[in-house]
């Protein structure tokens, strides 16, 4: 019997894996990718609660989370490209000083 | 019973792909693992009766956002720099501690929560496009309009950031 807790633990596992990725990755693109994984874990949690409570508001919120994630990824990748052009590498430790 | 089989299979596939995202050496493998994770998540959405967000997940998330990631991986030379071994191990240890702390807190919080089955609630309407649309254009019309402006700002910002200076061309 699949309960709400099963879905919440699955969502929590995904979130923790994304968290490990954000902390331990050094390439900026991989950090952005792990942030996307964390957002998806939150989406799963919202949809599970929407089913549990019988109201579609959770799914509306998932819709908006996906929209905001799309806008954020667009701008984040543009910043990454500017960084690759300016500093030459996409390492997270490369931006060590306030001017270069 | 078949519900449980579907759930465990899809969750195992999804968590395995998520581990592949975090542990992959090359960036292209990490992005493709995230695509697999998103497909597993869309299947879980369908299992939960949210058909509209499952379709939107595949079309928008896996089909547009991750394609954007793939373009950036293609255009930039993203070799993972040879980091000193001690530094990588330290980062991974810190990450593992954070992840374990989060999981233990979640388990502790869920132990207070009644073990309620995810049966179909009596007022449940499946999340089709009709139901989502009914709410989206009547009750939540203001966030809808504001989010379209947010996407417009994102587009303009990305174009302004990524284009080269005019005197270089």
């Amino acid at each position: 019997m699949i309960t709400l807790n099963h879905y919440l633990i699955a969502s929590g596992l995904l979130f923790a894996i994304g968290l490990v990725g954000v902390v331990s990755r050094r390439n900026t693109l991989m950090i952005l990718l792990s942030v996307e994984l964390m957002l998806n874990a939150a989406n799963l949690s919202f949809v599970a609660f929407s089913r549990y409570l019988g109201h579609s508001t959770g799914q509306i919120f998932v819709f908006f989370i996906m929209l905001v994630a799309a806008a954020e990824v667009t701008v984040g990748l543009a910043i990454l490209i500017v960084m690759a052009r300016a500093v030459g590498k996409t390492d997270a430790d490369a931006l060590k000083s306030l001017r270069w | 019973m078949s519900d449980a089989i579907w759930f465990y299979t899809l969750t195992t596939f999804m968590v395995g792909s998520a581990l592949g995202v975090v542990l992959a050496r090359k960036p292209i493998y990490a992005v493709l693992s995230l695509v697999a994770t998103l497909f597993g998540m869309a299947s879980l959405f369908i299992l939960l009766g949210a058909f509209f967000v499952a379709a939107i997940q595949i079309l928008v998330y896996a089909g547009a956002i991750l394609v954007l990631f793939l373009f950036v991986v293609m255009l930039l030379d993203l070799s993972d720099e040879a980091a000193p071994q001690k530094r990588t191990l330290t980062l991974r240890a810190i990450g593992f501690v954070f992840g374990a702390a989060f999981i233990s807190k979640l388990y502790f919080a869920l132990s207070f929560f009644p073990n309620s089955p995810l049966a179909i609630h009596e007022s449940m309407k499946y999340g089709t496009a009709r139901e989502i649309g009914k709410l989206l254009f009547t009750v939540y019309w203001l966030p809808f309009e504001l989010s379209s402006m947010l996407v417009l700002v994102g587009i303009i910002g990305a174009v302004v950031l990524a284009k080269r200076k005019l005197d270089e061309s």
Side-chain angles (χ1 to χ4, degrees), chain A residues 26-29 80 83-84 88-92 94, chain B residues 76-78 81:
Chain A
R26 294 188 60 220
N27 200 348
T28 318
L29 188 77
L80 184 83
M83 175 179 165
K89 42 189 169 145
T90 52
D91 202 28
Chain B
L76 294 182
D77 179 25
L78 288 173
E81 311 254 335

Side-chain angles (χ1 to χ4, degrees), chain B residues 11-12 28 34 57 79-80 82 96 100 124 127 136 143 146 153 169:
Chain B
T11 307
T12 314
I28 181 73
L34 190 60
Q57 168 109 344
S79 55
D80 228 27
F96 186 71
M124 168 90 188
L136 195 60
L146 288 179
V153 167
S169 57

Side-chain angles (χ1 to χ4, degrees), chain A residues 25-26 36 40 57 66 85 90, chain B residues 24 41 57 61 83 140 162:
Chain A
R25 283 288 212 170
R26 294 188 60 220
E36 291 306 305
N40 276 298
T57 307
M66 280 186 205
R85 264 188 223 146
T90 52
Chain B
M41 273 196 65
Q57 168 109 344
Y61 232 118
Y140 298 106

Side-chain angles (χ1 to χ4, degrees), chain A residues 1-27 29-30 32-37 39-41 43-44 47-57 59-60 62-71 73-75 77-82 84-85 89-91 93, chain B residues 4 7-8 11 14-15 18-19 21-22 24 27 30-31 34 37-38 41 44-45 47-50 52-53 56-57 61 65-66 68-69 72-73 76 78 80-81 83 87 91-92 94-96 98-99 102-103 106 110 113 115-121 123-124 127 132 135-136 140 143-144 147 150-151 154 158 161-164:
Chain A
M1 192 69 206
I2 302 295
T3 66
L4 177 64
N5 289 354
H6 285 84
Y7 281 101
L8 291 185
I9 289 180
S11 159
L13 263 180
L14 277 186
F15 190 85
I17 292 174
L19 189 62
V20 169
V22 166
V23 170
S24 70
R25 283 288 212 170
R26 294 188 60 220
N27 200 348
L29 188 77
M30 294 297 109
L32 276 173
L33 210 62
S34 305
V35 170
E36 291 306 305
L37 189 56
L39 282 171
N40 276 298
N43 279 353
L44 181 62
V47 173
F49 272 114
S50 160
R51 160 79 177 253
Y52 174 67
L53 296 171
H55 202 263
S56 298
T57 307
Q59 299 169 29
I60 301 274
V62 167
F63 178 79
F64 286 122
I65 289 179
M66 280 186 205
L67 260 176
V68 169
V73 159
T74 306
V75 175
L77 287 178
I79 292 177
L80 184 83
I81 290 180
V82 168
R85 264 188 223 146
K89 42 189 169 145
T90 52
D91 202 28
D93 297 334
Chain B
F7 174 76
Y8 283 119
T11 307
M14 197 174 66
V15 172
L19 283 172
V21 172
V22 167
V31 177
L34 190 60
T37 310
L38 291 182
M41 273 196 65
L44 275 183
F45 285 169
L47 202 60
L48 282 168
F52 179 71
V53 289
I56 288 291
Q57 168 109 344
Y61 232 118
I65 297 180
L66 288 191
L68 202 56
F69 267 103
V72 175
V73 168
L76 294 182
L78 288 173
D80 228 27
E81 311 254 335
R87 164 80 189 214
L91 283 178
R92 283 202 180 177
I94 296 176
F96 186 71
F98 280 168
F102 178 76
I103 289 286
L106 177 73
L110 284 180
F113 203 66
N115 205 14
S116 41
L118 209 64
I120 300 183
H121 199 267
S123 68
M124 168 90 188
I132 303 291
L135 275 182
L136 195 60
Y140 298 106
F144 184 68
S147 64
L150 172 77
V151 169
L161 276 174
K163 76 173 174 60
R164 296 185 184 271

